[in-house]
Amino acid sequence: MTTTTDRTPGDQPGLRHFLADDDLTWSEQREVLELAAALKADPYGRQPLAGPASVAVIFDKPTLRTQASFTAGIAALGGYPMLVDGRLAQIGIRESVADTARVLGRMTAAIVWRTYAQSALEEMAAYSGVPVVNALTDAYHPCQILADLLTVAEHTGGFSPQGPALAGRTFAYVGDGANNMAHSYLLGGALAGMHVRIGAPDGYQPDPAVVKRAAALAAGTGGSVTIVEEATAAVTGAEVVATDTWVSMGQEEEKDEREAPFRPYQVDDALLAGAEPGAVVLHCLPAYRGKEITEDVLEGPASRVWDEAENRLHVQKAILTWLLDR
């Protein structure tokens, strides 16, 4: 039974969450990205967690960059990262998501969750009483896209003078168009005013509902959304080329059957030659050299992958600071 002492979003005006890319408006996305750039220049310039306050950081899925960037970032913001092993906590199995949200919401300033179902994350937000951040679900990876957008700005001339953060830039993603990265690129890229192209084989194209949402966003930011089957059609003239593993977490049993349809989508020198001269390459990692990307491209002059990895730290500090300021 819910009591009057339970904290829910309705009890706290201004409480915001970051569960999907389009939880921000284009102007809010720009605000967060500019704050991330400021925190990169001055790592200890904001201390919203000084005390220190705790942030619950829950992992149901394997992690390296997410754990490293959130724990380091929370510490830099003056706080304490409360790491929660999802295998031990068994959220939604041993204890309901709603009950877990109520408990953690009374002990922490925010909750970060890397899990499977987007619906579970949304339930956590509904009951937490504190900001909830999506550190990856099967549907979206919005923190990674913020890091990618910051990286694009750093290497393609900065943020646009006004309006959406990267208005007019051309972005191509090739590979599994049905995964969380493709969906977040669609939403986050459209929100930034970019021309987003997804090149993916038949049967692995984005969720039509996400494409529709992205197209609606693009209509308001001056961007565009294009879905094609040919990798070369997606990449031609693009200023940014991105890819991701062909086998996401939980799809390991499909590894062999995915090899043939995805092989034409490998980011190699030949494919990259069709992009805009000086185009940059992104990959959220872990990378499987010789599969979705070649060693030559990953380690070559177009790669901005290591800056992209570092920028997870800066954008996540920014989104936590922004949410805690509401």
Side-chain angles (χ1 to χ4, degrees):
M1 181 179 69
T2 302
T3 72
T4 55
T5 57
D6 283 329
R7 293 187 296 176
T8 67
D11 298 321
Q12 299 185 53
L15 176 62
R16 296 282 297 272
H17 306 286
F18 188 50
L19 310 182
D21 307 80
D22 54 346
D23 279 342
L24 302 176
T25 66
W26 69 258
S27 59
E28 290 172 341
Q29 182 197 61
R30 179 174 183 133
E31 189 178 338
V32 170
L33 289 169
E34 289 177 338
L35 177 57
L39 288 171
K40 187 169 185 175
D42 181 9
Y44 306 105
R46 297 289 296 274
Q47 298 271 295
L49 294 168
S54 296
V55 174
V57 188
I58 311 166
F59 297 110
D60 291 335
K61 286 188 172 185
T63 176
L64 172 62
R65 277 155 301 284
T66 299
Q67 179 170 338
S69 54
F70 268 111
T71 54
I74 290 164
L77 295 175
Y80 172 78
M82 178 195 295
L83 297 181
V84 179
D85 186 333
R87 292 169 299 181
L88 297 177
Q90 295 187 306
I91 299 170
I93 300 173
R94 189 174 64 86
E95 187 163 357
S96 72
V97 173
D99 290 357
T100 303
R102 291 186 180 108
V103 171
L104 292 179
R106 289 177 176 236
M107 298 179 181
T108 66
I111 298 170
V112 174
W113 195 9
R114 181 179 173 93
T115 190
Y116 295 89
Q118 182 74 12
S119 59
L121 188 79
E122 292 168 356
E123 185 177 3
M124 181 76 81
Y127 288 92
S128 71
V130 297
V132 174
V133 175
N134 182 348
L136 181 145
T137 64
D138 290 342
Y140 308 111
H141 199 358
C143 289
Q144 180 65 59
I145 270 50
L146 287 178
D148 289 17
L149 296 178
L150 178 60
T151 307
V152 171
E154 290 174 336
H155 294 285
T156 60
F159 297 119
S160 59
Q162 58 186 4
L166 294 166
R169 298 290 183 195
T170 304
F171 176 95
Y173 168 89
V174 293
D176 186 359
N179 73 9
N180 48 13
M181 285 298 297
H183 288 163
S184 277
Y185 276 135
L186 281 167
L187 297 176
L191 205 60
M194 301 176 80
H195 301 295
V196 182
R197 304 175 190 160
I198 303 292
D202 184 34
Y204 298 95
Q205 297 205 333
D207 182 336
V210 176
V211 176
K212 184 176 180 180
R213 283 165 56 193
L217 292 170
T221 62
S224 64
V225 170
T226 304
I227 312 298
V228 297
E229 284 193 28
E230 295 293 330
T232 51
V235 167
T236 299
E239 297 167 276
V240 184
V241 177
T243 189
D244 187 16
T245 178
W246 296 336
V247 183
S248 295
M249 287 177 282
Q251 299 173 334
E252 289 77 7
E253 292 183 356
E254 302 174 23
K255 180 179 178 181
D256 291 340
E257 68 184 79
R258 284 172 169 259
E259 179 78 21
F262 282 114
R263 178 57 62 180
Y265 298 81
Q266 182 186 70
V267 177
D268 56 15
D269 288 328
L271 183 66
L272 195 58
E276 183 79 3
V280 298
V281 172
L282 302 179
H283 190 307
C284 63
L285 301 175
Y288 297 91
R289 292 164 169 81
K291 299 293 185 180
E292 73 274 6
I293 191 168
T294 62
E295 175 86 6
D296 286 348
V297 172
L298 185 67
E299 301 292 352
S303 175
R304 297 294 181 273
V305 171
W306 317 118
D307 291 337
E308 178 189 10
E310 178 194 334
N311 283 340
R312 288 287 302 278
L313 170 67
H314 309 300
V315 300
Q316 289 162 189
K317 287 172 64 182
I319 193 66
L320 280 171
T321 300
W322 190 88
L323 291 170
L324 292 167
D325 278 351
R326 296 306 97 188

